[in-house]
């Protein structure tokens, strides 16, 4: 099994920054990609960013490009999401997820961490 635990959420004013971290444990050797998703109240979960576990490629939703940066540390088995220039519309529960191949769904999910951006 693979376990994912997020940390780093909180309350921040608009324009501020937060850094989320996702720690992976267990069968980390099966991971091909890691992603961050978010779900705001009364909205569907949406993709935020993803990165190949081996490094090199990263993808972002248009809504966060230029403001958020995803990175990974294979030695520590962590994936971080640096969020800058936060907006109230970034308020959501943020989830870390892992997939075992490029084309597969994200099969493993963390419990989520709340990010609240005040105006």
């Amino acid at each position: 099994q693979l376990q994912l635990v997020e940390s780093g959420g909180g309350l921040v004013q608009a324009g501020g920054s937060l850094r989320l971290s996702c720690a992976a444990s267990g069968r980390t050797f099966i991971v091909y990609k890691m992603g961050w998703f978010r779900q705001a109240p009364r909205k569907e979960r949406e993709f935020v960013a993803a990165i190949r576990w081996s490094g090199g490629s990263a993808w972002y939703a248009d809504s966060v490009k230029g403001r958020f940066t995803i990175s990974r540390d294979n030695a520590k088995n962590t994936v971080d999401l640096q969020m800058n220039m936060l907006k109230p519309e970034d308020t959501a529960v943020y989830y870390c997820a892992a997939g075992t191949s490029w084309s597969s769904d994200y099969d493993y999910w963390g419990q989520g961490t709340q990010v609240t951006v005040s105006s």
Side-chain angles (χ1 to χ4, degrees):
Q1 277 288 18
L2 180 70
Q3 293 80 40
L4 303 175
V5 178
E6 302 96 335
S7 62
L11 173 64
V12 65
Q13 287 188 330
S17 299
L18 277 177
R19 188 177 185 90
L20 305 183
S21 186
C22 175
S25 62
R27 302 176 68 202
T28 56
F29 60 89
I30 67 173
V31 175
Y32 179 86
K33 60 186 180 185
M34 296 286 290
W36 285 95
F37 293 76
R38 66 188 182 186
Q39 187 166 20
R42 299 174 298 280
K43 291 189 177 181
E44 301 216 346
R45 185 171 60 197
E46 64 174 1
F47 169 78
V48 175
I51 190 168
R52 285 199 310 178
W53 191 239
S54 61
S57 300
W59 301 265
Y60 298 91
D62 288 344
S63 59
V64 306
K65 277 182 184 176
R67 300 189 298 123
F68 290 12
T69 302
I70 189 171
S71 61
R72 93 276 180 267
D73 186 329
N74 295 108
K76 296 180 180 179
N77 288 333
T78 57
V79 174
D80 290 354
L81 185 69
Q82 177 66 42
M83 306 185 294
N84 299 327
M85 296 182 287
L86 283 161
K87 305 175 182 179
E89 51 263 44
D90 294 318
T91 295
V93 177
Y94 282 70
Y95 297 91
C96 173
T100 57
S101 71
W102 169 245
S103 58
S104 71
D105 292 334
Y106 288 86
D107 298 315
Y108 300 89
W109 293 83
Q111 81 288 353
T113 185
Q114 177 70 47
V115 171
T116 303
V117 185
S118 63
S119 57

